[in-house]
mmCIF file of all heavy atoms in Angstrom:
data_model
loop_
_atom_site.group_PDB
_atom_site.id
_atom_site.type_symbol
_atom_site.label_atom_id
_atom_site.label_comp_id
_atom_site.label_asym_id
_atom_site.label_seq_id
_atom_site.Cartn_x
_atom_site.Cartn_y
_atom_site.Cartn_z
ATOM 1 N N LEU F 1 4.139 8.117 1.081
ATOM 2 C CA LEU F 1 4.217 9.204 2.065
ATOM 3 C C LEU F 1 4.575 8.672 3.450
ATOM 4 O O LEU F 1 5.332 9.304 4.193
ATOM 5 C CB LEU F 1 2.888 9.960 2.133
ATOM 6 C CG LEU F 1 2.616 10.989 1.042
ATOM 7 C CD1 LEU F 1 1.263 11.655 1.264
ATOM 8 C CD2 LEU F 1 3.707 12.052 0.998
ATOM 9 N N SER F 2 4.019 7.502 3.810
ATOM 10 C CA SER F 2 4.341 6.889 5.104
ATOM 11 C C SER F 2 5.825 6.546 5.175
ATOM 12 O O SER F 2 6.482 6.782 6.196
ATOM 13 C CB SER F 2 3.505 5.629 5.324
ATOM 14 O OG SER F 2 2.141 5.939 5.399
ATOM 15 N N LEU F 3 6.350 5.986 4.097
ATOM 16 C CA LEU F 3 7.778 5.656 4.051
ATOM 17 C C LEU F 3 8.631 6.903 4.192
ATOM 18 O O LEU F 3 9.676 6.899 4.850
ATOM 19 C CB LEU F 3 8.106 4.938 2.739
ATOM 20 C CG LEU F 3 7.765 3.453 2.663
ATOM 21 C CD1 LEU F 3 7.890 2.947 1.239
ATOM 22 C CD2 LEU F 3 8.665 2.646 3.589
ATOM 23 N N TYR F 4 8.181 8.007 3.589
ATOM 24 C CA TYR F 4 8.941 9.261 3.630
ATOM 25 C C TYR F 4 8.871 9.908 5.013
ATOM 26 O O TYR F 4 9.869 10.378 5.548
ATOM 27 C CB TYR F 4 8.396 10.222 2.571
ATOM 28 C CG TYR F 4 9.040 11.589 2.600
ATOM 29 C CD1 TYR F 4 10.323 11.784 2.079
ATOM 30 C CD2 TYR F 4 8.370 12.676 3.165
ATOM 31 C CE1 TYR F 4 10.919 13.030 2.121
ATOM 32 C CE2 TYR F 4 8.952 13.928 3.203
ATOM 33 C CZ TYR F 4 10.231 14.103 2.680
ATOM 34 O OH TYR F 4 10.808 15.336 2.723
ATOM 35 N N SER F 5 7.666 9.918 5.630
ATOM 36 C CA SER F 5 7.471 10.642 6.888
ATOM 37 C C SER F 5 8.007 9.876 8.101
ATOM 38 O O SER F 5 8.483 10.474 9.055
ATOM 39 C CB SER F 5 5.986 10.956 7.097
ATOM 40 O OG SER F 5 5.246 9.755 7.231
ATOM 41 N N ASP F 6 7.908 8.552 8.093
ATOM 42 C CA ASP F 6 8.381 7.747 9.230
ATOM 43 C C ASP F 6 9.034 6.471 8.702
ATOM 44 O O ASP F 6 8.462 5.382 8.789
ATOM 45 C CB ASP F 6 7.210 7.419 10.166
ATOM 46 C CG ASP F 6 7.666 6.790 11.474
ATOM 47 O OD1 ASP F 6 8.886 6.621 11.661
ATOM 48 O OD2 ASP F 6 6.803 6.463 12.317
ATOM 49 N N PRO F 7 10.243 6.598 8.146
ATOM 50 C CA PRO F 7 10.876 5.430 7.507
ATOM 51 C C PRO F 7 11.182 4.297 8.473
ATOM 52 O O PRO F 7 11.173 3.135 8.081
ATOM 53 C CB PRO F 7 12.172 6.007 6.899
ATOM 54 C CG PRO F 7 12.406 7.284 7.620
ATOM 55 C CD PRO F 7 11.065 7.807 8.024
ATOM 56 N N PHE F 8 11.416 4.615 9.765
ATOM 57 C CA PHE F 8 11.775 3.562 10.718
ATOM 58 C C PHE F 8 10.590 2.630 10.982
ATOM 59 O O PHE F 8 10.685 1.410 10.818
ATOM 60 C CB PHE F 8 12.259 4.176 12.037
ATOM 61 C CG PHE F 8 12.645 3.152 13.057
ATOM 62 C CD1 PHE F 8 13.831 2.437 12.937
ATOM 63 C CD2 PHE F 8 11.821 2.889 14.145
ATOM 64 C CE1 PHE F 8 14.186 1.480 13.879
ATOM 65 C CE2 PHE F 8 12.165 1.934 15.088
ATOM 66 C CZ PHE F 8 13.351 1.225 14.960
ATOM 67 N N SER F 9 9.434 3.214 11.379
ATOM 68 C CA SER F 9 8.257 2.392 11.696
ATOM 69 C C SER F 9 7.745 1.655 10.472
ATOM 70 O O SER F 9 7.433 0.457 10.534
ATOM 71 C CB SER F 9 7.141 3.271 12.270
ATOM 72 O OG SER F 9 7.540 3.843 13.488
ATOM 73 N N THR F 10 7.641 2.379 9.347
ATOM 74 C CA THR F 10 7.151 1.733 8.129
ATOM 75 C C THR F 10 8.154 0.713 7.597
ATOM 76 O O THR F 10 7.764 -0.290 7.010
ATOM 77 C CB THR F 10 6.842 2.774 7.040
ATOM 78 O OG1 THR F 10 7.965 3.655 6.889
ATOM 79 C CG2 THR F 10 5.632 3.607 7.397
ATOM 80 N N GLY F 11 9.444 0.971 7.841
ATOM 81 C CA GLY F 11 10.464 -0.006 7.438
ATOM 82 C C GLY F 11 10.323 -1.303 8.201
ATOM 83 O O GLY F 11 10.457 -2.400 7.629
ATOM 84 N N ILE F 12 10.047 -1.201 9.513
ATOM 85 C CA ILE F 12 9.800 -2.402 10.324
ATOM 86 C C ILE F 12 8.570 -3.143 9.796
ATOM 87 O O ILE F 12 8.570 -4.369 9.636
ATOM 88 C CB ILE F 12 9.607 -2.026 11.808
ATOM 89 C CG1 ILE F 12 10.921 -1.536 12.402
ATOM 90 C CG2 ILE F 12 9.084 -3.230 12.601
ATOM 91 C CD1 ILE F 12 10.801 -0.999 13.811
ATOM 92 N N GLY F 13 7.493 -2.368 9.505
ATOM 93 C CA GLY F 13 6.276 -2.974 8.957
ATOM 94 C C GLY F 13 6.536 -3.666 7.636
ATOM 95 O O GLY F 13 6.044 -4.769 7.381
ATOM 96 N N PHE F 14 7.340 -3.033 6.784
ATOM 97 C CA PHE F 14 7.658 -3.605 5.485
ATOM 98 C C PHE F 14 8.481 -4.884 5.640
ATOM 99 O O PHE F 14 8.261 -5.874 4.933
ATOM 100 C CB PHE F 14 8.405 -2.576 4.641
ATOM 101 C CG PHE F 14 8.568 -2.971 3.205
ATOM 102 C CD1 PHE F 14 7.459 -3.190 2.399
ATOM 103 C CD2 PHE F 14 9.823 -3.123 2.651
ATOM 104 C CE1 PHE F 14 7.598 -3.552 1.071
ATOM 105 C CE2 PHE F 14 9.971 -3.484 1.327
ATOM 106 C CZ PHE F 14 8.858 -3.706 0.534
ATOM 107 N N THR F 15 9.418 -4.870 6.588
ATOM 108 C CA THR F 15 10.257 -6.049 6.828
ATOM 109 C C THR F 15 9.414 -7.223 7.334
ATOM 110 O O THR F 15 9.565 -8.361 6.868
ATOM 111 C CB THR F 15 11.351 -5.721 7.857
ATOM 112 O OG1 THR F 15 12.115 -4.607 7.394
ATOM 113 C CG2 THR F 15 12.272 -6.901 8.071
ATOM 114 N N ILE F 16 8.515 -6.931 8.285
ATOM 115 C CA ILE F 16 7.631 -7.986 8.799
ATOM 116 C C ILE F 16 6.748 -8.531 7.677
ATOM 117 O O ILE F 16 6.515 -9.738 7.579
ATOM 118 C CB ILE F 16 6.778 -7.448 9.964
ATOM 119 C CG1 ILE F 16 7.668 -7.141 11.167
ATOM 120 C CG2 ILE F 16 5.695 -8.455 10.360
ATOM 121 C CD1 ILE F 16 6.968 -6.439 12.305
ATOM 122 N N THR F 17 6.263 -7.631 6.810
ATOM 123 C CA THR F 17 5.432 -8.058 5.684
ATOM 124 C C THR F 17 6.208 -8.978 4.749
ATOM 125 O O THR F 17 5.679 -9.986 4.270
ATOM 126 C CB THR F 17 4.927 -6.826 4.908
ATOM 127 O OG1 THR F 17 4.206 -5.977 5.803
ATOM 128 C CG2 THR F 17 4.011 -7.230 3.762
ATOM 129 N N LEU F 18 7.480 -8.645 4.500
ATOM 130 C CA LEU F 18 8.305 -9.452 3.594
ATOM 131 C C LEU F 18 8.565 -10.857 4.135
ATOM 132 O O LEU F 18 8.813 -11.785 3.362
ATOM 133 C CB LEU F 18 9.639 -8.755 3.321
ATOM 134 C CG LEU F 18 9.584 -7.545 2.381
ATOM 135 C CD1 LEU F 18 10.969 -6.922 2.249
ATOM 136 C CD2 LEU F 18 9.059 -7.931 1.001
ATOM 137 N N THR F 19 8.501 -11.033 5.464
ATOM 138 C CA THR F 19 8.706 -12.384 6.019
ATOM 139 C C THR F 19 7.600 -13.332 5.571
ATOM 140 O O THR F 19 7.768 -14.555 5.640
ATOM 141 C CB THR F 19 8.751 -12.355 7.559
ATOM 142 O OG1 THR F 19 7.494 -11.856 8.060
ATOM 143 C CG2 THR F 19 9.885 -11.492 8.065
ATOM 144 N N GLY F 20 6.476 -12.781 5.120
ATOM 145 C CA GLY F 20 5.392 -13.624 4.623
ATOM 146 C C GLY F 20 5.744 -14.334 3.329
ATOM 147 O O GLY F 20 5.161 -15.383 3.015
ATOM 148 N N VAL F 21 6.703 -13.784 2.561
ATOM 149 C CA VAL F 21 7.061 -14.393 1.267
ATOM 150 C C VAL F 21 7.728 -15.754 1.465
ATOM 151 O O VAL F 21 7.256 -16.757 0.921
ATOM 152 C CB VAL F 21 7.951 -13.432 0.440
ATOM 153 C CG1 VAL F 21 8.393 -14.097 -0.853
ATOM 154 C CG2 VAL F 21 7.202 -12.139 0.149
ATOM 155 N N PRO F 22 8.829 -15.855 2.239
ATOM 156 C CA PRO F 22 9.399 -17.206 2.463
ATOM 157 C C PRO F 22 8.435 -18.126 3.208
ATOM 158 O O PRO F 22 8.411 -19.335 2.931
ATOM 159 C CB PRO F 22 10.664 -16.938 3.290
ATOM 160 C CG PRO F 22 10.492 -15.576 3.858
ATOM 161 C CD PRO F 22 9.655 -14.815 2.888
ATOM 162 N N ALA F 23 7.641 -17.577 4.130
ATOM 163 C CA ALA F 23 6.675 -18.419 4.857
ATOM 164 C C ALA F 23 5.654 -19.009 3.889
ATOM 165 O O ALA F 23 5.273 -20.180 4.007
ATOM 166 C CB ALA F 23 5.970 -17.586 5.934
ATOM 167 N N TYR F 24 5.211 -18.215 2.910
ATOM 168 C CA TYR F 24 4.224 -18.694 1.932
ATOM 169 C C TYR F 24 4.820 -19.833 1.092
ATOM 170 O O TYR F 24 4.170 -20.852 0.873
ATOM 171 C CB TYR F 24 3.787 -17.536 1.038
ATOM 172 C CG TYR F 24 2.769 -17.923 -0.004
ATOM 173 C CD1 TYR F 24 1.444 -18.169 0.338
ATOM 174 C CD2 TYR F 24 3.138 -18.065 -1.343
ATOM 175 C CE1 TYR F 24 0.509 -18.535 -0.615
ATOM 176 C CE2 TYR F 24 2.209 -18.432 -2.306
ATOM 177 C CZ TYR F 24 0.901 -18.651 -1.931
ATOM 178 O OH TYR F 24 -0.018 -19.022 -2.880
ATOM 179 N N TYR F 25 6.057 -19.652 0.637
ATOM 180 C CA TYR F 25 6.682 -20.705 -0.181
ATOM 181 C C TYR F 25 6.988 -21.949 0.648
ATOM 182 O O TYR F 25 6.867 -23.074 0.155
ATOM 183 C CB TYR F 25 7.956 -20.171 -0.833
ATOM 184 C CG TYR F 25 7.679 -19.380 -2.088
ATOM 185 C CD1 TYR F 25 7.509 -18.009 -2.042
ATOM 186 C CD2 TYR F 25 7.552 -20.019 -3.326
ATOM 187 C CE1 TYR F 25 7.229 -17.283 -3.184
ATOM 188 C CE2 TYR F 25 7.273 -19.314 -4.475
ATOM 189 C CZ TYR F 25 7.108 -17.939 -4.397
ATOM 190 O OH TYR F 25 6.823 -17.228 -5.535
ATOM 191 N N LEU F 26 7.347 -21.750 1.913
ATOM 192 C CA LEU F 26 7.704 -22.878 2.765
ATOM 193 C C LEU F 26 6.490 -23.707 3.160
ATOM 194 O O LEU F 26 6.504 -24.937 3.101
ATOM 195 C CB LEU F 26 8.420 -22.362 4.023
ATOM 196 C CG LEU F 26 8.936 -23.408 5.003
ATOM 197 C CD1 LEU F 26 10.019 -24.267 4.350
ATOM 198 C CD2 LEU F 26 9.494 -22.732 6.254
ATOM 199 N N PHE F 27 5.398 -23.040 3.534
ATOM 200 C CA PHE F 27 4.237 -23.748 4.085
ATOM 201 C C PHE F 27 3.143 -24.026 3.051
ATOM 202 O O PHE F 27 2.339 -24.928 3.246
ATOM 203 C CB PHE F 27 3.638 -22.959 5.250
ATOM 204 C CG PHE F 27 4.540 -22.885 6.440
ATOM 205 C CD1 PHE F 27 5.219 -21.713 6.729
ATOM 206 C CD2 PHE F 27 4.729 -23.981 7.259
ATOM 207 C CE1 PHE F 27 6.061 -21.640 7.823
ATOM 208 C CE2 PHE F 27 5.571 -23.917 8.358
ATOM 209 C CZ PHE F 27 6.253 -22.745 8.640
ATOM 210 N N ILE F 28 3.093 -23.262 1.954
ATOM 211 C CA ILE F 28 1.994 -23.404 0.995
ATOM 212 C C ILE F 28 2.464 -23.974 -0.342
ATOM 213 O O ILE F 28 1.945 -24.973 -0.830
ATOM 214 C CB ILE F 28 1.295 -22.042 0.774
ATOM 215 C CG1 ILE F 28 0.892 -21.405 2.110
ATOM 216 C CG2 ILE F 28 0.087 -22.206 -0.140
ATOM 217 C CD1 ILE F 28 -0.016 -22.254 2.962
#
């Protein structure tokens, strides 16, 4: 519902969250 109602803000949040994936593989 958040993605549907405010795709811009939640999209930014989702993008920032996805940056954790390469960081996890790189540092851990």
Side-chain angles (χ1 to χ4, degrees):
L1 280 181
S2 296
L3 280 169
Y4 176 76
S5 64
D6 189 1
F8 180 74
S9 296
T10 50
I12 291 174
F14 190 61
T15 303
I16 293 172
T17 303
L18 286 178
T19 61
V21 176
Y24 180 74
Y25 278 92
L26 183 64
F27 293 105
I28 308 302

